[in-house]
Amino acid sequence: MPEKKLKTLQFTASIMTIFFGISTFLPLFASAQINEQSAVGEQIAPITFNFDSTPANFDFSTIHISSPSENLNSFYVNPQPIDGTTALVAHDGRYNGGFKVTVQADNFVKTGSPSTIISAGELSIVTSSSTADEVRKNTTAVATFPMDGSPLQNSTDYDNPGHQFTSPGGIDIISAPADCTTEGRVGVYTTYPSFRLHVPTTTQAGTFTSTLTYTITAEPTPC
């Protein structure tokens, strides 16, 4: 069974709607709460394989609906502060085998109306300013950040294949493979996730809650 450490980032997108003709005003915000979940599979020593930090609270931008034909997107562009509170940081000290970090998103569910949702597929991710400070053993491949791109508002990188939360298996945001058990690495891996939420113009008023789950998983080696 793959080794996992889970951390859950919960955020709420609150949609307050004022109907006046066809005009709808939707201020969006999000707040984050970190919750530890139990490890799955083999026990992982925190000093060798774990998350060092996950992003702090963030706010979506405010949007305004004036027409049912609009294409409306709300953005959280990671500010990347000096203190690093919005960074996702993982480390691997095993010097043996590979790993990956994935992120999964649940549907946004309206409070009090579980059947009313904004699909998780409306959410997209772009990571940026990613760094891998690592020492690699033998012919170990360099760690990569598959979702890296421009996180700015209206960046087309959010539309690149694989950036949308449409797969139940989640999205790889750190890829650190190893081909054989004679390979491995010691390192610290930092990335800054940003998000775009597409809000359908038919969205009902209310508070919608989703959960992001970041998972670090040891990758099996083929030899």
Side-chain angles (χ1 to χ4, degrees):
M1 195 174 218
E3 298 173 348
K4 288 187 179 180
K5 270 289 189 178
L6 302 183
K7 287 200 174 182
T8 299
L9 178 65
Q10 294 180 325
F11 60 98
T12 300
S14 179
I15 301 181
M16 300 172 57
T17 307
I18 301 172
F19 290 98
F20 183 74
I22 60 172
S23 179
T24 307
F25 181 71
L26 286 81
L28 294 181
F29 67 91
S31 61
Q33 178 181 353
I34 303 301
N35 293 320
E36 288 282 357
Q37 295 183 5
S38 60
V40 178
E42 187 175 336
Q43 184 64 35
I44 302 167
I47 61 170
T48 61
F49 189 75
N50 208 344
F51 291 108
D52 294 335
S53 68
T54 50
N57 295 357
F58 62 87
D59 295 321
F60 281 116
S61 56
T62 299
I63 61 174
H64 180 74
I65 297 177
S66 58
S67 167
S69 62
E70 286 181 309
N71 183 23
L72 298 171
N73 294 312
S74 182
F75 293 86
Y76 166 69
V77 179
N78 199 308
Q80 304 173 29
I82 295 174
D83 60 10
T85 58
T86 62
L88 177 77
V89 183
H91 71 263
D92 182 7
R94 297 168 304 154
Y95 220 37
N96 183 19
F99 76 94
K100 67 178 179 179
V101 172
T102 59
V103 58
Q104 293 173 283
D106 295 338
N107 291 330
F108 290 78
V109 179
K110 181 181 176 181
T111 301
S113 180
S115 63
T116 304
I117 66 169
I118 301 174
S119 170
E122 304 288 1
L123 188 68
S124 302
I125 186 173
V126 169
T127 56
S128 59
S129 300
S130 303
T131 58
D133 183 7
E134 62 179 1
V135 176
R136 298 183 304 278
K137 183 179 178 182
N138 297 331
T139 57
T140 305
V142 176
T144 61
F145 300 86
M147 294 298 111
D148 269 9
S150 170
L152 300 180
Q153 291 193 21
N154 300 319
S155 166
T156 58
D157 289 342
Y158 289 100
D159 296 310
N160 288 339
H163 286 252
Q164 301 79 37
F165 287 86
T166 55
S167 171
I171 297 173
D172 291 356
I173 56 174
I174 303 177
S175 177
D179 287 336
C180 291
T181 54
T182 57
E183 296 185 1
R185 53 176 54 77
V186 172
V188 177
Y189 307 86
T190 304
T191 192
Y192 293 86
S194 296
F195 298 91
R196 182 190 72 185
L197 176 64
H198 175 67
V199 181
T201 56
T202 56
T203 301
Q204 296 184 13
T207 298
F208 292 76
T209 303
S210 178
T211 299
L212 293 177
T213 302
Y214 294 98
T215 305
I216 186 168
T217 308
E219 292 278 75
T221 55
C223 58

